Amino acid sequence: MAGVSLKCGDCGALLRSVEEAQEHAELTSHSNFAESTEAVLNLVCSTCGKPCRSKTESDLHTKRTGHTEFVDKTADAAKPISLEVPKVTASGSEDAADVTSQTEEMVVPEVDKNLLQELEGMGFSTERATRALHYSGNASLEAAVNWVVEHDNDPDIDQMPLVPVSSKAEAPKSSLTPEQLKAKQQELREKARKKKEEEEKRMEREREKERIRVGKELLEAKRMEEENERKRILALRKAEKDEEKRAREKIRQKLEEDKAERRRKLGLPPEDPSTTKPSATVVEEKMSLPVRPATKAEQMRECLRSLKQNHKEDDAKVKRAFQTLLTFVGNVVKNPDEEKFRKIRLTNQSFQDRVGSLRGGTEFLQLCGFEKIEGGEFLFLARDKVDMAVLHSAGSELDSAIKNPFFGVL
């Protein structure tokens, strides 16, 4: 199979032509090239049409633009490579009819390094500056700039010039006056400046796009986090409702069992389920049959629920009241013989702010055994009326009310 590329033996790069191989040699100082049957990749972006010569180049294009679809047109672009080097004329253009001998080596002409650096400082590329100095005879900076002005439209203006080792190109003479040359120099500097500004603006637009993309990703991540938190809260509320439902069902079953037990003790036959009205509710059964009185713990729980429902617009105030009540109860449990812990002045401003001003606060303390004395000025728990079981139940109910976020919601 005929060769379709030149492969650099030093770095493995694939090149499409002899000219590319010469440019590669100039840039890298590599000199070991061989004809290869492996074609240079031609991956064309489906979105913007940019051709990429390697997988690395396509990956960089994807990272920079976000385009991921590429069409492999390597086979369409592959064609046998010509190892003949076209001859360069004195004007800098290629003459297809005049080809140098294949045995003659082509090299980059030597130019004045100082003048080359000055031209590069003015914004000219290395290839253009080298070509200008070579064909202006390395005469001066003005002559090189004059040559660039005259040949600015040449198709090969930005290609590195190549000449045979044994040949020397003649330099054309400058045909511009010093004033015209100075004006052209200023024009070229202005073009280079504008090109640099346009590149900076393009890079700024790219950075702005990247900032916008990152901002959108952060907003989406925050939204997902809030959505997950909302789902978690809903799941907790559902679990709480299910627990309440199971508790009500247990109470209903207990009522049924108590009802059946009472019928048995009274010598009545068991109730026929078919005679029970389908629409009958637990509330109706409670009204029709005597039930056991609520325990102190149930009364305390209902008192705390009522307190939270009455002041549900201020959760912080309710929580502070629960914590204050827990402190009162805890002090009595730890020091039952200390009267100062069993006597509370109702007119105390701190007590009023925390408990007394909330409906249900004083009632809860009365369920714990406290009684109003001295015309209602004090709440007092007599030593002989201290019931540790009741106080422990009160502490448990208060702890549950403080820690359960859904307490009193249902």
Side-chain angles (χ1 to χ4, degrees):
M1 180 178 177
V4 293
S5 67
L6 289 175
K7 186 172 184 179
C8 177
D10 296 320
C11 65
L14 294 176
L15 307 159
R16 289 196 181 99
S17 63
V18 174
E19 290 83 352
E20 287 189 5
Q22 290 171 340
E23 292 179 5
H24 181 75
E26 274 297 314
L27 294 173
T28 63
S29 300
H30 297 167
S31 59
N32 183 16
F33 297 93
E35 191 175 1
S36 174
T37 58
E38 183 180 355
V40 178
L41 281 179
N42 185 22
L43 303 175
V44 181
C45 178
S46 302
T47 305
C48 63
K50 175 179 173 58
C52 299
R53 295 173 56 125
S54 65
K55 186 65 170 61
T56 301
E57 188 174 344
S58 66
D59 291 342
L60 290 173
H61 181 69
T62 299
K63 184 176 181 181
R64 185 172 59 255
T65 64
H67 302 164
T68 58
E69 298 294 332
F70 294 87
V71 178
D72 191 350
K73 294 186 178 181
T74 304
D76 299 340
K79 58 183 179 179
I81 191 169
S82 174
L83 299 180
E84 295 182 351
V85 180
K87 183 178 180 181
V88 182
T89 63
S91 63
S93 61
E94 296 180 354
D95 188 353
D98 186 11
V99 181
T100 60
S101 172
Q102 294 183 3
T103 60
E104 190 171 10
E105 183 181 1
M106 303 296 291
V107 296
V108 177
E110 293 184 1
V111 296
D112 190 306
K113 301 298 182 182
N114 295 329
L115 294 178
L116 179 63
Q117 290 180 357
E118 290 187 33
L119 287 173
E120 289 176 342
M122 294 172 63
F124 297 112
S125 64
T126 303
E127 294 79 5
R128 181 175 293 207
T130 302
R131 183 175 289 271
L133 288 172
H134 172 66
Y135 290 112
S136 64
N138 289 297
S140 64
L141 182 65
E142 291 76 9
V145 173
N146 183 46
W147 188 93
V148 171
V149 172
E150 293 177 352
H151 298 85
D152 189 45
N153 296 324
D154 290 356
D156 57 354
I157 186 67
D158 287 314
Q159 295 180 6
M160 186 67 73
L162 298 173
V163 297
V165 176
S166 59
S167 65
K168 294 182 180 180
E170 295 182 359
K173 300 297 182 180
S174 174
S175 59
L176 296 178
T177 63
E179 292 76 9
Q180 291 175 329
L181 185 60
K182 186 175 182 180
K184 289 294 182 181
Q185 290 175 350
Q186 183 62 29
E187 181 182 352
L188 290 174
R189 290 192 187 97
E190 187 65 20
K191 285 183 179 180
R193 185 185 63 80
K194 288 182 178 179
K195 184 177 180 181
K196 184 177 180 181
E197 289 179 354
E198 290 175 357
E199 181 65 18
E200 290 177 351
K201 290 180 180 179
R202 185 187 68 80
M203 293 300 296
E204 181 61 28
R205 287 195 296 269
E206 292 293 332
R207 288 192 291 269
E208 183 63 23
K209 290 180 180 178
E210 182 65 14
R211 284 194 293 269
I212 293 173
R213 183 188 66 79
V214 172
K216 288 182 178 179
E217 290 181 355
L218 291 175
L219 288 176
E220 180 65 16
K222 184 177 180 181
R223 187 190 67 79
M224 290 297 296
E225 183 179 355
E226 292 175 350
E227 179 68 15
N228 291 336
E229 181 65 16
R230 186 183 67 82
K231 290 180 179 178
R232 187 185 69 81
I233 293 176
L234 290 177
L236 287 175
R237 289 181 178 174
K238 184 177 182 302
E240 182 73 14
K241 289 181 179 179
D242 292 342
E243 182 64 25
E244 291 284 342
K245 185 177 180 182
R246 287 193 293 269
R248 293 192 186 100
E249 181 63 22
K250 287 182 180 179
I251 294 173
R252 189 190 66 77
Q253 292 177 359
K254 181 63 176 175
L255 291 174
E256 292 290 342
E257 292 173 359
D258 292 345
K259 181 180 177 181
E261 180 65 20
R262 283 192 296 271
R263 292 183 66 87
R264 185 186 65 77
K265 288 181 178 180
L266 294 173
L268 298 175
E271 187 177 12
D272 186 1
S274 62
T275 62
T276 305
K277 294 181 180 180
S279 61
T281 62
V282 175
V283 176
E284 291 173 346
E285 291 174 359
K286 287 183 179 180
M287 294 173 61
S288 61
L289 293 174
V291 295
R292 63 178 177 83
T295 64
K296 271 290 182 67
E298 291 173 343
Q299 292 175 7
M300 291 176 180
R301 188 181 308 119
E302 186 60 32
C303 182
L304 293 177
R305 284 179 177 170
S306 175
L307 189 152
K308 185 168 184 178
Q309 286 291 334
N310 292 333
H311 306 279
K312 59 184 178 181
E313 72 283 352
D314 194 345
D315 289 341
K317 191 172 184 179
V318 171
K319 187 174 182 180
R320 186 177 63 175
F322 288 167
Q323 290 172 341
T324 303
L325 290 172
L326 184 60
T327 301
F328 287 147
V329 173
N331 286 338
V332 176
V333 171
K334 295 176 183 177
N335 307 279
D337 296 325
E338 291 287 342
E339 182 178 332
K340 65 178 181 180
F341 294 127
R342 293 184 281 108
K343 191 173 184 180
I344 303 172
R345 184 185 293 274
L346 292 176
T347 56
N348 181 277
Q349 187 61 42
S350 178
F351 174 80
Q352 284 295 321
D353 292 341
R354 292 174 176 269
V355 177
S357 61
L358 278 68
R359 289 177 55 190
T362 304
E363 289 80 357
F364 182 84
L365 290 172
Q366 289 176 323
L367 289 172
C368 294
F370 285 85
E371 297 177 349
K372 290 184 179 181
I373 62 172
E374 298 182 16
E377 184 178 356
F378 292 94
L379 276 177
F380 182 70
L381 177 59
R383 180 62 182 90
D384 58 347
K385 293 185 179 181
V386 174
D387 190 336
M388 287 297 180
V390 172
L391 294 177
H392 282 301
S393 296
S396 298
E397 295 299 331
L398 285 167
D399 185 66
S400 176
I402 293 171
K403 294 181 179 178
N404 186 355
F406 303 109
F407 182 83
V409 175
L410 300 176

